[in-house]
Amino acid sequence: MTVLTYICWLHAVMLKPGKADAIIVLGFVSKDGQIHPLLKERLDEAYKRFRQYGHQYIIVSGGAVGSRHSEAELMKKYLVEKGVPAESVLKEEKSRNTVQNLIYSKQLMEQYQLNSFMVITNLFHVRRTKYIMQRLGMKGGYCANRSLRSIVGFQLKLTFLEIRAFRLTLPIIERVMNDLAN
């Protein structure tokens, strides 16, 4: 597969936005308490979809990976400042990777008796997220901002790192699946 084919395949994924009980926004490493531009893109997409579809909740998912503040805390603050009611934003602060983002968000959904969800991430990250969701038996939609400016400006470099991330994800999923089976 050529490099261009890989880039096109990764970014040409079919998105499935729509109505759901909750939006799950996957975290992204935030250094020094600052929201990374790719995380801001996720949050802006979540805000847009929240207003468009009237979801009950936005679950912000991410622990304190690159900062003393959890990604979830920074994300909630950002969304509340944009006008999302604080009680509509649920924080999942234990996760340290995408697999955990989804598992712990699913637990939070069960706690709040939420049945449907839509995951928001970045375009380069959708295919791996879909794969993880399938392996975990999670059925939901997924959405990302599909802008050329973002792809060229921020996501292209991470597109290549996604190959490595996918390979690292496989053993994590296997461990989780074994834990769930026992």
Side-chain angles (χ1 to χ4, degrees), residues 29-98:
V29 175
S30 300
K31 307 259 188 229
D32 303 321
Q34 300 297 310
I35 292 178
H36 188 280
L38 287 173
L39 182 54
K40 181 183 180 309
E41 183 176 284
R42 293 175 187 187
L43 293 168
D44 290 342
E45 187 69 20
Y47 177 73
K48 175 180 154 186
R49 300 298 174 179
F50 181 78
R51 292 186 45 92
Q52 180 179 5
Y53 292 106
H55 303 281
Q56 284 181 274
Y57 293 101
I58 299 175
I59 298 172
V60 290
S61 180
V65 177
S67 172
R68 62 186 173 95
H69 300 283
S70 74
E71 295 163 17
E73 181 64 37
L74 297 171
M75 295 187 322
K76 180 171 183 167
K77 182 177 185 264
Y78 180 85
L79 289 170
V80 169
E81 287 173 359
K82 281 191 76 92
V84 176
E87 62 274 6
S88 295
V89 183
L90 306 176
K91 294 187 301 183
E92 179 290 297
E93 299 181 281
K94 299 184 294 187
S95 60
R96 304 197 56 80
N97 59 52
T98 305

Side-chain angles (χ1 to χ4, degrees), residues 108-126:
L108 201 53
M109 285 182 58
E110 290 167 358
Q111 179 183 337
Y112 281 81
Q113 299 177 340
L114 304 171
N115 298 311
S116 59
F117 67 94
M118 178 178 58
V119 173
I120 296 187
T121 188
N122 300 103
L123 202 51
F124 72 91
H125 193 237
V126 170

